[in-house]
Amino acid sequence: MRGQGQSPIDAAGIDPRALESLLAFWADAGVDTTYEDAPVDRLAARVRPPQPTPRAAAPQVVARSEQAPAIPQASSQGPDISAAIAEARRLAAECETLEALAAAIAAFDGCGLKFEGARQAVFARGEPNAPLMVIGEGPGAEEDVQSLPFVGRAGKLLDKMIGAAGLTGRVFITNTVYWRPPGNRTPTPQEQMVCQPFLERSIALVKPKVLLLAGGASAKSVLQKSEGILSLRGRWFDWTSSDGAMTLPAMPTLHPAFLLRQPGAKKRAWTDLLMLEERVDRPERPG
Ligand code: URA
């Protein structure tokens, strides 16, 4: 029996109150993420194979620990994501509205990020018929809470940049992946590939004139480039949809989170935005 005032030591010999106090200390010190000692092979991330999506299925309450059992599929090339991509394509093609697309993304189980601690899917915000689409990397902590992209510090800076370029209210904002990567790590190319059919469908539905790719992870994935953002930024590329039906001008630029860390780079982002604004407002050629 334990006497009053004694610490409730659990079976593993850990005092929960001491643990709580230690965690509070780390949180006060600004530590909001924990890592394991051993590195995790993200290429071997778990991907749940697509399940047939029952139409009008009754809502289910599923405990987090019961979601998406780990299905080991890793090979030396990483997990086999082809089935998940095919399922994403099929679901995306069925969506005739952005609302339907948001619902399809939220119900999709093929991206491993959904089961790595994200609270909910984060799809998009902004004008459904915007001439400009901004594509970021992936949701962060604040986006994960609000289920909206670019609403944290980097998002506030992005809004200011868009405002300074005279484009407020003329933008649709989304990301290459729809769930927060744990610890805000960069999404893997596999995670981005699985989400890509939804991204393409959102471009097809919004029909923007111009794409702005925020940061290297977005630019490399959307344009299939291997160069770094410092060489890609400020240049125009043609983005073409995977079925070849749509081509749009796309410009990579520095990510606002990078600009928060390196304010000296804002000048370069500003020159990118001036080119962007000119292109958005350039009159369409007839025919
Ligand atoms: N960074 C991104 O790339 N996307 C967000 O939604 C937020 C931060």
Side-chain angles (χ1 to χ4, degrees):
M1 256 210 359
R2 206 181 296 285
Q4 268 210 328
Q6 269 187 292
S7 297
I9 308 289
D10 72 8
I14 295 169
D15 177 348
R17 288 184 305 190
L19 197 56
E20 206 176 311
S21 155
L22 182 63
L23 285 174
F25 169 78
W26 284 120
D28 285 348
V31 177
D32 63 0
T33 305
T34 56
Y35 293 92
E36 292 171 41
D37 288 340
V40 176
D41 180 359
R42 298 288 171 202
L43 294 180
R46 298 182 303 239
V47 174
R48 187 178 180 187
Q51 314 286 311
T53 325
R55 287 175 199 277
Q60 287 182 342
V61 180
V62 181
R64 198 156 268 276
S65 60
E66 290 167 356
Q67 294 176 351
I71 310 250
Q73 294 187 12
S75 70
S76 56
Q77 301 299 308
D80 179 1
I81 53 171
S82 44
I85 294 173
E87 175 73 349
R89 277 207 193 108
R90 187 186 69 73
L91 292 170
E94 285 177 355
C95 297
E96 296 300 332
T97 63
L98 290 168
E99 290 73 24
L101 189 58
I105 290 169
F108 180 62
D109 285 344
C111 178
L113 284 175
K114 183 172 183 177
F115 307 105
E116 290 190 36
R119 283 183 170 85
Q120 55 191 329
V122 178
F123 173 42
R125 69 177 169 96
E127 291 304 306
N129 299 310
L132 171 64
M133 183 181 286
V134 176
I135 305 173
E137 173 179 319
E142 196 54 41
E143 290 76 19
D144 185 46
V145 170
Q146 294 192 37
S147 188
L148 289 170
F150 279 105
V151 288
R153 280 184 71 219
K156 300 223 166 18
L157 178 56
L158 177 67
D159 287 346
K160 276 192 196 161
M161 291 161 67
I162 287 168
L167 293 167
T168 300
R170 300 163 68 199
V171 61
F172 183 88
I173 302 174
T174 189
N175 279 305
T176 61
V177 297
Y178 305 108
W179 291 269
R180 181 195 183 194
N184 291 346
R185 67 166 169 77
T186 304
T188 65
Q190 287 81 1
E191 290 157 355
Q192 292 174 312
M193 282 159 70
V194 167
C195 294
Q196 188 193 352
F198 296 117
L199 177 62
E200 286 208 1
R201 189 70 191 136
S202 63
I203 297 172
L205 290 169
V206 174
K207 298 188 187 65
K209 274 175 81 175
V210 175
L211 303 178
L212 180 69
L213 311 175
S218 166
K220 288 186 203 177
S221 165
V222 173
L223 298 174
Q224 301 290 292
K225 298 279 179 201
S226 55
E227 296 149 83
I229 187 64
L230 292 179
S231 98
L232 293 173
R233 63 145 282 271
R235 293 161 56 193
W236 286 110
F237 295 88
D238 278 342
W239 170 83
T240 302
S241 58
S242 43
D243 62 2
M246 209 182 357
T247 298
L248 291 173
M251 181 190 280
T253 193
L254 301 171
H255 195 287
F258 173 80
L259 298 176
L260 288 171
R261 292 193 301 271
Q262 305 276 339
K266 284 185 182 171
K267 195 173 154 189
R268 280 181 281 176
W270 179 237
T271 60
D272 299 350
L273 284 176
L274 292 179
M275 281 192 282
L276 179 82
E277 191 273 329
E278 187 279 327
R279 191 82 182 232
V280 170
D281 284 333
R282 193 185 288 178
E284 307 254 15
R285 271 188 277 157

